[in-house]
DNA sequence: ACCCAGGGTCATA
DNA sequence: TATGACCATGGG
């Protein structure tokens, strides 16, 4: 197996890149649109998010001040296609209130990554993945985003159990890879792109371009606790 | 008529 | 701290 390299995570990255090509992420026209998309895409297909974002644009409301000025029920109406619209309307509002209070992008971009991350996590409706989406794609900070595709792909590869805590997984990636926001950007985008292709039900079908890289199939099923890739490299 | 998607919060034990 | 219920539309 060509794949017991010193850096399995880089091998996976290169295989994905060769297979899927450059991704040009995040699909948005501004940092603020990234933030909106990050909330709207929570447990939701991106195609639905696009409709909601289009509604916001068409009504000239893709702006933090204008979103706050909207009654929550009206905001919910605009983002209806993205699902969970009542909840997401509140979350979007909370994020916009915070964003404006902190002086928007120009002020926030002066914060260091650690304090920006904990401030985001303190906003109602912003959890670890949403915060990291925003940090990476709106503020270009070297933070590795963990989502369901990341868990699914790496557990099938036998590299990480999919039930590792978010933070454990994130730190594993960040410590194993060079600290490079451009790399993290492309890597996560590739994981999503690949994740959309692979079959959910059958554990190892359609690993596609990653087939060669499968480190140790079945390994993770024998473990009761977290595994770092160094444990079997 | 299912199944599920680029999560997060809140209530229980 | 660890599960489970809940949120809801649109595409396969």
């Amino acid at each position: 197996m060509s794949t017991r390299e010193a850096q399995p995570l880089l091998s996976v990255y290169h295989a994905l890149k060769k297979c899927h090509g450059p991704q040009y992420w995040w699909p948005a026209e501004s940092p603020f649109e990234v933030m909106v998309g990050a909330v709207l895409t929570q447990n939701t297909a991106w195609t639905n998010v696009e409709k909601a974002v289009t509604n916001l644009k068409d009504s000239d409301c893709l702006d933090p001040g204008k979103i706050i000025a909207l009654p929550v029920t009206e905001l919910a109406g605009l983002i209806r296609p993205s699902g969970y619209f009542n909840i997401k309307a509140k979350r979007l509002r909370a994020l916009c209130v915070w964003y404006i209070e902190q002086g928007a992008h120009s002020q926030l971009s002066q914060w260091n990554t650690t304090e920006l991350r904990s401030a985001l996590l303190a906003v109602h409706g912003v959890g670890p993945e949403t915060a990291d989406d925003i940090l990476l794609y709106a503020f270009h900070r070297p933070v590795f985003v963990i989502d369901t595709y990341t868990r699914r792909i790496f557990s099938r590869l036998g590299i990480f159990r999919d039930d590792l805590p978010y933070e454990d997984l994130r730190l594993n990636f960040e410590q194993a890879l060079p600290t490079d926001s451009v790399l993290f950007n492309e890597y996560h985008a590739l994981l999503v792109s690949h994740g959309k292709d692979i079959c959910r039900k059958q554990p190892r079908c359609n690993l596609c371009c990653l087939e060669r890289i499968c480190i140790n199939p079945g390994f993770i099923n024998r473990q009761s606790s977290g595994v770092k890739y160094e444990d079997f490299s």
Side-chain angles (χ1 to χ4, degrees):
Chain A
M1 217 162 252
S2 77
T3 52
R4 310 245 169 163
E5 300 177 19
Q7 269 296 7
L9 299 190
L10 277 179
S11 318
V12 171
Y13 171 75
H14 291 304
L16 287 172
K17 183 131 188 159
K18 180 176 285 185
C19 179
H20 300 285
Q23 300 296 306
Y24 309 107
W25 261 38
W26 181 287
E29 294 175 0
S30 69
F32 181 68
E33 188 178 335
V34 172
M35 298 172 70
V36 171
V39 170
L40 294 184
T41 199
Q42 290 170 355
N43 203 38
T44 299
W46 183 255
T47 52
N48 287 0
V49 177
E50 286 181 315
K51 299 174 202 286
V53 171
T54 299
N55 287 346
L56 289 171
K57 285 182 177 172
D58 288 351
S59 49
D60 196 30
C61 288
L62 191 55
D63 171 90
K66 290 176 180 172
I67 285 179
I68 289 185
L70 241 38
V72 209
T73 55
E74 236 175 271
L75 178 56
L78 289 174
I79 63 172
R80 175 180 261 278
S82 70
Y84 307 130
F85 48 83
N86 288 316
I87 290 196
K88 285 176 179 174
K90 288 181 199 164
R91 293 181 181 176
L92 220 43
R93 163 173 268 279
L95 184 57
C96 290
V97 167
W98 171 81
Y99 190 63
I100 290 174
E101 276 177 355
Q102 306 310 325
H105 197 87
S106 59
Q107 296 301 312
L108 289 168
S109 59
Q110 299 177 39
W111 297 25
N112 71 50
T113 302
T114 308
E115 55 187 14
L116 189 52
R117 186 168 199 269
S118 36
L120 280 165
L121 288 172
V123 177
H124 176 86
V126 178
E129 188 192 333
T130 306
D132 292 343
D133 280 336
I134 293 172
L135 287 165
L136 179 58
Y137 292 106
F139 290 91
H140 308 292
R141 304 304 173 89
V143 171
F144 201 94
V145 177
I146 306 299
D147 60 8
T148 57
Y149 292 141
T150 312
R151 291 177 181 283
R152 193 175 301 155
I153 291 168
F154 283 90
S155 64
R156 282 183 196 182
L157 290 172
I159 297 181
F160 296 119
R161 290 175 58 92
D162 65 355
D163 60 351
L164 286 185
Y166 185 96
E167 211 63 359
D168 288 11
L169 219 33
R170 178 173 74 87
L171 293 176
N172 263 302
F173 278 93
E174 291 180 5
Q175 288 164 12
L177 295 167
T179 304
D180 177 355
S181 66
V182 175
L183 170 67
F184 291 179
N185 175 324
E186 199 65 13
Y187 205 154
H188 174 239
L190 285 165
L191 288 170
V192 173
S193 180
H194 189 73
K196 287 177 174 170
D197 290 343
I198 70 179
C199 170
R200 300 187 65 263
K201 298 249 162 130
Q202 300 172 21
R204 295 198 52 222
C205 82
N206 291 342
L207 277 172
C208 177
C209 48
L210 298 182
E211 205 106 46
R212 287 190 317 115
I213 303 190
C214 198
I215 307 282
N216 194 353
F219 176 81
I220 57 172
N221 296 326
R222 301 199 301 270
Q223 304 302 309
S224 57
S225 63
V227 180
K228 304 176 70 163
Y229 76 90
E230 286 90 355
D231 292 341
F232 51 92
S233 59

